[in-house]
């Protein structure tokens, strides 16, 4: 089966909550080892990547990948100016400006606290999986043939160790893996270098027994281990889709 292609990124949502009056930097508000280089030949690379140790593999769901924690940040909307000490001391949004000012108490009228008008912005951060990983995903519709589903693997700029996503089903296993900014995938070609996208027939992807397996290098010897298994692919994917998994923390 021939597989290929690329693209996509994920988006963090945010919402605004009103606020007034800021500090020199954004303030978070309380809630209301390099691995071995890739083998030079394709066959050596593929043979090596198939040696994966099945340790404690956790079954995850799409909901696990969707989970987010809210984070509230007071951000300046104006330039800096002085406030009375009593104002900064009594308002939690500006309290850090009070503690870093020359104010000796909330009743101090000899000094001022430097702040600005602020608004509280809500950011939603992905929740780590059991082994400390963050894997985000996005789905593009209608970008492939209706008889296939494509899957793509990317790693964030701070993730350099070996990572792999495999789709297992219909008696077949197809993979995409990357390491140190390079990527490969399983499909008949003179070279899979720089290939980060693979695919499987839609009828296999939507079968209840088909699953994605996420693997990574672990420990001082960078042992390749299966870490997470994702079933229920038809909950998010249908023919013509491309799902991009982005491994942003390990």
């Amino acid at each position: 089966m021939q597989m290929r292609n690329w693209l996509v990124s994920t988006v963090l949502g945010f919402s605004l909550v009103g606020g007034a009056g800021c500090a020199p930097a954004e303030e978070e508000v309380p809630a209301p080892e390099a691995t071995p280089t890739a083998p030079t030949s394709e066959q050596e690379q593929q043979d090596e990547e198939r040696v994966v140790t099945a340790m404690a593999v956790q079954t995850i769901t799409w909901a696990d990948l969707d989970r987010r924690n809210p984070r509230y940040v007071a951000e300046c909307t104006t330039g800096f100016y002085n406030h009375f000490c009593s104002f900064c001391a009594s308002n939690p949004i500006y309290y850090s400006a009070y503690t870093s000012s020359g104010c000796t108490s909330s009743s101090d009228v000899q000094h001022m606290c430097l702040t600005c008008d602020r608004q509280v912005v809500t950011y939603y951060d992905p929740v780590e999986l059991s082994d400390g990983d963050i894997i985000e995903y996005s789905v593009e519709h209608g970008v492939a043939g209706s008889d296939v589903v494509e899957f793509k693997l990317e790693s964030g700029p701070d993730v350099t160790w070996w990572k792999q996503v495999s789709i297992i089903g219909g008696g077949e296993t197809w993979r995409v893996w990357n390491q140190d900014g390079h990527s490969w995938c399983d499909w008949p070609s003179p070279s899979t270098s720089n290939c980060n996208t693979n695919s499987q027939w839609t009828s296999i992807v939507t079968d209840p027994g088909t699953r994605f397996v996420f693997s990574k290098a672990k420990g001082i010897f960078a042992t390749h281990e299966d870490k997470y298994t994702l079933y229920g692919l038809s909950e998010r994917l249908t023919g013509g889709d491309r799902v991009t998994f982005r491994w942003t923390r390990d």
Side-chain angles (χ1 to χ4, degrees):
M1 178 187 302
Q2 308 234 334
M3 327 273 165
R4 57 196 85 189
N5 279 351
W6 25 339
L7 200 42
V8 128
S9 61
T10 45
V11 181
L12 291 178
F14 68 89
S15 60
L16 300 183
V17 181
C22 224
E26 293 182 359
E27 175 190 350
E28 203 163 316
V29 178
E33 35 219 71
T35 55
T37 56
T40 55
S41 76
E42 177 190 3
Q43 187 59 51
E44 289 174 350
Q45 176 71 28
Q46 292 184 352
D47 289 344
E48 177 179 327
E49 302 315 326
R50 283 174 172 76
V51 181
V52 179
T53 303
M55 302 293 284
V57 182
Q58 178 193 5
T59 298
I60 60 174
T61 66
W62 292 104
D64 292 318
L65 301 180
D66 289 334
R67 287 166 55 208
R68 296 291 185 271
N69 280 333
R71 174 170 53 91
Y72 307 96
V73 179
E75 297 182 347
C76 291
T77 60
T78 66
F80 293 98
Y81 58 90
N82 285 317
H83 261 308
F84 289 114
C85 295
S86 58
F87 175 85
C88 293
S90 62
N91 193 318
I93 293 180
Y94 307 108
Y95 190 75
S96 63
Y98 169 73
T99 58
S100 62
S101 70
C103 296
T104 59
S105 69
S106 60
S107 59
D108 184 355
V109 294
Q110 302 300 317
H111 301 90
M112 304 285 281
C113 57
L114 183 65
T115 185
C116 62
D117 291 338
R118 296 180 179 180
Q119 63 182 5
V120 177
V121 180
T122 306
Y123 294 94
Y124 293 92
D125 298 327
V127 176
E128 292 182 354
L129 298 173
S130 62
D131 202 52
D133 301 283
I134 290 179
I135 303 174
E136 302 179 73
Y137 76 93
S138 58
V139 178
E140 298 172 275
H141 302 293
V143 296
S146 61
D147 58 344
V148 299
V149 174
E150 296 184 350
F151 62 100
K152 179 178 179 180
L153 175 64
E154 298 178 340
S155 286
D158 298 325
V159 176
T160 59
W161 279 35
W162 179 87
K163 300 290 182 292
Q164 177 176 277
V165 59
S166 309
I167 190 167
I168 301 174
E172 300 177 334
T173 300
W174 296 101
R175 306 170 176 85
V176 177
W177 65 92
N178 62 35
Q179 179 177 316
D180 298 323
H182 303 285
S183 60
W184 299 264
C185 56
D186 275 356
W187 54 280
S189 170
S191 173
T192 65
S193 179
N194 297 319
C195 171
N196 66 357
T197 305
N198 215 322
S199 67
Q200 180 57 283
W201 299 115
T202 300
S203 58
I204 294 178
V205 174
T206 55
D207 185 275
T210 301
R211 68 272 191 197
F212 281 117
V213 176
F214 301 89
S215 313
K216 69 177 188 177
K218 286 272 295 180
I220 189 171
F221 298 112
T223 304
H224 295 178
E225 298 180 7
D226 293 337
K227 297 306 301 182
Y228 313 104
T229 299
L230 174 67
Y231 286 91
L233 308 191
S234 62
E235 294 176 17
R236 294 288 190 278
L237 304 174
T238 189
D241 287 352
R242 178 189 301 138
V243 55
T244 298
F245 296 105
R246 184 169 175 81
W247 210 307
T248 59
R249 184 181 302 171
D250 59 1

